[in-house]
Amino acid sequence: MATLSIHFDPAVIARLTSASGDDTIHVTLSLGGGSATTEAAPVIPHGPLAALMQAGKLKTGSVLTFHQRRANRSGRAVVTAEGQLIVDGHSSLFPSPSKAAEAVTGNVINGWTLWHTEDGDTLDQLRQNLDAE
């Protein structure tokens, strides 16, 4: 009989243990090459967030948030290694900040100015800083 072995990075375990009942946790499983030490091929980000990720301005696992007081709504998203966004409460990945923001707000909206990093910067500010360098 085959044996299934699942190994989680400590960051994943920390995220799972800190999740609330309303959080959506995405876990991707893939078949390895049969060796316990098989290294995954590096993932190269693509899409609108790729330049920020490649410049080190945005990292895999970065948490983005927004809060709109007047509309009484907020959102939370996590950046994937591919440069997509996982939005809490949604099962699909979003290819751009604006599509992710639209999924939360229900309106066409500029996600570059809406989403904030944990440091408080908008994605647009990160992009402007990158362009200035």
Side-chain angles (χ1 to χ4, degrees), residues 18-121:
S18 68
S20 72
D22 294 334
D23 285 344
T24 300
I25 306 294
H26 295 271
V27 177
T28 302
L29 300 176
S30 62
L31 295 175
S35 170
T37 60
T38 301
E39 292 292 322
V43 176
I44 298 172
H46 57 277
L49 297 177
L52 292 176
M53 295 179 74
Q54 290 167 348
K57 304 269 183 201
L58 197 60
K59 297 187 181 335
T60 300
S62 293
V63 175
L64 305 175
T65 59
F66 75 84
H67 181 72
Q68 295 175 310
R69 275 184 266 158
R70 293 177 87 192
N72 194 29
R73 65 181 162 218
S74 59
R76 181 180 176 281
V78 177
V79 179
T80 70
E82 295 83 10
Q84 297 184 328
L85 295 172
I86 299 170
V87 178
D88 284 355
H90 296 270
S91 59
S92 58
L93 296 172
F94 295 93
S96 73
S98 295
K99 290 292 182 189
E102 184 177 339
V104 178
T105 65
N107 300 311
V108 174
I109 192 163
N110 184 347
W112 290 95
T113 58
L114 185 71
W115 293 106
H116 290 80
T117 66
E118 293 176 84
D119 294 333
D121 295 323

